[in-house]
Amino acid sequence: MPKTSEIKPASLISTSDEALFKAWSKKIDLAIGLNLLEFKQEELQKHKYLLEPAHPSVNQVQNYFHLMPMFVNIEVEKKHQNRDPLIQLGAWVAAEFNKRQAEDWPIDIPVVVVAIEQDEWHLYIVHNVTKPDGKFDLRFVGPKSLGNTLDYEGIFRILYVLCTLAKWEEEGYRPWFYKVHVLLDAYID
């Protein structure tokens, strides 16, 4: 589970406002990604990337998580902070869709995000709506309460949903990712 990754390259964020870019380019707090076998990571390194070919990346980062497909993105806002986690998640998800579009990958699979505000966990599903001009708008569906960390019932509910998301990763995201990156060979992770 990667922690604190910055959006890179800067071109994935659509703004010329330096202050806005600085606010948007802060790091995402956590992500849950695919655990790929080493030979599959080597295949990804050999793949030809249109955006930043010198820095191959399957997502919107260029650090040590650049070859880890992230299927759940998590933003945490601590108690007594008056910040909306959806602002950062919106920039993060937009960068992911921009990366897909720049690489000419399909943008049909949604992005799953979790916003944790104090003790409450909320799930959002983000999908695109393609406009006639080929550009897209993002739609956040949610929030759906995942539970809270105030009692055992809330914690078990959060764990149940995280396990359900892991099942979606196996049945939905992983096959999509393998197809996009031509990793559909006879090997199974």
Side-chain angles (χ1 to χ4, degrees):
M1 182 182 297
K3 300 186 327 181
T4 61
S5 295
E6 271 185 52
I7 298 171
K8 294 277 184 173
S11 62
L12 291 175
I13 302 212
S14 304
T15 183
S16 58
D17 183 329
E18 187 68 30
L20 194 55
F21 176 78
K22 194 171 188 176
W24 281 358
S25 65
K26 102 173 193 22
K27 300 174 180 180
I28 192 78
D29 292 321
L30 299 164
I32 302 173
L34 300 183
N35 185 16
L36 298 176
L37 296 174
E38 190 173 325
F39 75 90
K40 289 194 185 264
Q41 288 181 352
E42 290 170 5
E43 283 182 50
L44 288 176
Q45 285 179 322
K46 295 174 189 169
H47 185 77
K48 299 293 181 217
Y49 295 90
L50 302 173
L51 189 65
E52 300 285 326
H55 303 285
S57 177
V58 298
N59 52 41
Q60 63 272 43
V61 302
Q62 290 177 350
N63 62 11
Y64 41 87
F65 301 118
H66 67 288
L67 295 177
M68 178 186 283
M70 295 182 267
F71 67 94
V72 177
N73 304 283
I74 303 170
E75 179 68 17
V76 180
E77 294 302 337
K78 299 174 187 158
K79 288 184 179 181
H80 311 295
Q81 287 185 334
N82 194 17
R83 292 188 303 201
D84 184 352
L86 288 183
I87 293 171
Q88 178 57 28
L89 284 169
W92 186 259
V93 170
E96 181 170 341
F97 277 101
N98 287 337
K99 168 70 174 177
R100 291 180 188 176
Q101 193 172 49
E103 295 289 356
D104 202 26
W105 299 335
I107 56 175
D108 58 340
I109 195 156
V111 174
V112 177
V113 297
V114 174
I116 303 172
E117 295 181 82
Q118 300 181 24
D119 298 306
E120 297 292 326
W121 290 49
H122 299 283
L123 174 74
Y124 295 84
I125 305 297
V126 186
H127 66 95
N128 73 28
V129 177
T130 304
K131 299 188 284 189
D133 63 1
K135 295 181 180 177
F136 60 87
D137 286 332
L138 296 178
R139 299 285 190 259
F140 275 68
V141 178
K144 174 69 175 160
S145 176
L146 299 184
N148 63 61
T149 56
L150 296 173
D151 56 38
Y152 288 120
E153 181 182 337
I155 293 168
F156 288 135
R157 188 169 168 205
I158 291 168
L159 289 173
Y160 174 80
V161 173
L162 291 175
C163 289
T164 303
L165 288 172
K167 186 171 176 63
W168 172 75
E169 174 273 326
E170 289 176 7
E171 296 173 358
Y173 185 81
R174 185 178 297 260
W176 174 85
F177 181 83
Y178 281 11
K179 181 178 178 187
V180 167
H181 294 279
V182 195
L183 297 175
L184 283 177
D185 47 31
Y187 302 101
I188 298 175
D189 287 334

